[in-house]
Amino acid sequence: DAGITQSPRHKVTETGTPVTLRCHQTENHRYMYWYRQDPGHGLRLIHYSYGVKDTDKGEVSDGYSVSRSKTEDFLLTLESATSSQTSVYFCAISGGAGGNEQFFGPGTRLTVL
Amino acid sequence: QKEVEQDPGPLSVPEGAIVSLNCTYSNSAFQYFMWYRQYSRKGPELLMYTYSSGNKEDGRFTAQVDKSSKYISLFIRDSQPSDSATYLCAITRNSGYALNFGKGTSLLVTP
């Protein structure tokens, strides 16, 4: 998985609770992304980062926030989890020597009850 | 209209067949084209990456891009049961931009 880890790998939580997902890379890539994958929708961008402390919104950012205080870590927070946020979340990185290719982590399966 | 259209399948072929997977896109600003393979409950794995129109070959896989028609294809020769997975096309404008994904085509290669 190109030196990308995600934690936790599985999580079950209740509606209204905050949840933080972590993405950690060992590749020193500049760009990091959070996607969610849902049946019928495919992969959709939530937020992305183009450097430490530099982030921007993606297509489905409502209800999510992100932070990047170090090159290697990108955190995704669900401020108050809802059932519609039940999904599989993938982190991706790009900006290495290869340039434009994006490499994905193993995913976090989140269930909100 | 979604920016990337991909037939979801499922597509079922016998072992050894040639598989053709296709996507169309709507915006000529897209310059970089990728194919990912995703096994069940795993992350997408980058298979092919192309920039220009034409063909790029890697083993049994060939990626084809026709920018004039906004059409990209992935061909798999001598398909194997281990090729059974979902194949995702993805396109982007440049480094640092998010990928626009097709919804994926589910492929089953039967022995």
Side-chain angles (χ1 to χ4, degrees):
Chain A
D1 292 320
I4 308 168
T5 56
Q6 293 185 231
S7 59
R9 295 293 313 279
H10 300 88
K11 186 170 182 67
V12 180
T13 191
E14 294 191 348
T15 297
T17 60
V19 176
T20 295
L21 309 182
R22 181 183 183 235
C23 177
H24 178 79
Q25 60 145 329
T26 58
E27 306 294 326
N28 201 33
H29 281 19
R30 177 182 177 185
Y31 301 101
M32 299 185 75
Y33 312 82
W34 278 107
Y35 293 88
R36 60 178 288 176
Q37 187 174 38
D38 304 288
H41 291 281
L43 280 151
R44 294 178 292 173
L45 181 70
I46 305 171
H47 280 280
Y48 67 100
S49 170
Y50 45 95
V52 173
K53 300 192 189 303
D54 293 323
T55 65
D56 208 345
K57 296 179 180 180
E59 177 187 358
V60 290
S61 60
D62 286 349
Y64 301 95
S65 62
V66 291
S67 65
R68 191 172 179 198
S69 59
K70 297 185 289 185
T71 298
E72 57 265 36
D73 289 326
F74 193 31
L75 303 180
L76 176 71
T77 298
L78 288 64
E79 294 141 11
S80 177
T82 68
S83 58
S84 64
Q85 294 175 312
T86 292
S87 187
V88 182
Y89 291 85
F90 288 102
C91 175
I93 64 174
S94 72
N100 298 301
E101 298 103 311
Q102 286 192 20
F103 301 97
F104 283 77
T108 293
R109 190 168 295 270
L110 176 68
T111 302
V112 183
L113 302 175
Chain B
Q1 180 189 5
K2 194 165 169 50
E3 293 203 278
V4 184
E5 299 283 354
Q6 182 177 11
D7 187 336
L11 183 62
S12 182
V13 301
E15 183 175 355
I18 296 174
V19 176
S20 172
L21 305 167
N22 309 292
C23 288
T24 59
Y25 63 97
S26 57
N27 191 334
S28 59
F30 293 125
Q31 299 291 325
Y32 300 91
F33 309 92
M34 293 163 232
W35 285 95
Y36 288 84
R37 176 174 62 195
Q38 187 175 25
Y39 291 114
S40 180
R41 305 181 82 86
K42 300 289 187 182
E45 171 194 5
L46 182 63
L47 272 180
M48 300 288 286
Y49 165 71
T50 57
Y51 169 68
S52 57
S53 283
N55 294 351
K56 180 178 180 179
E57 189 173 316
D58 184 0
R60 296 186 294 111
F61 299 91
T62 299
Q64 187 174 83
V65 175
D66 182 348
K67 288 187 177 181
S68 63
S69 301
K70 300 188 183 64
Y71 193 86
I72 62 174
S73 300
L74 179 70
F75 298 96
I76 307 174
R77 291 184 300 279
D78 187 25
S79 57
Q80 303 295 310
S82 59
D83 294 327
S84 299
T86 297
Y87 290 80
L88 304 162
C89 63
I91 57 178
T92 188
R93 289 170 174 75
N94 207 338
S95 182
Y97 283 82
L99 298 179
N100 291 272
F101 281 91
K103 292 186 179 179
T105 299
S106 176
L107 172 67
L108 177 65
V109 181
T110 55

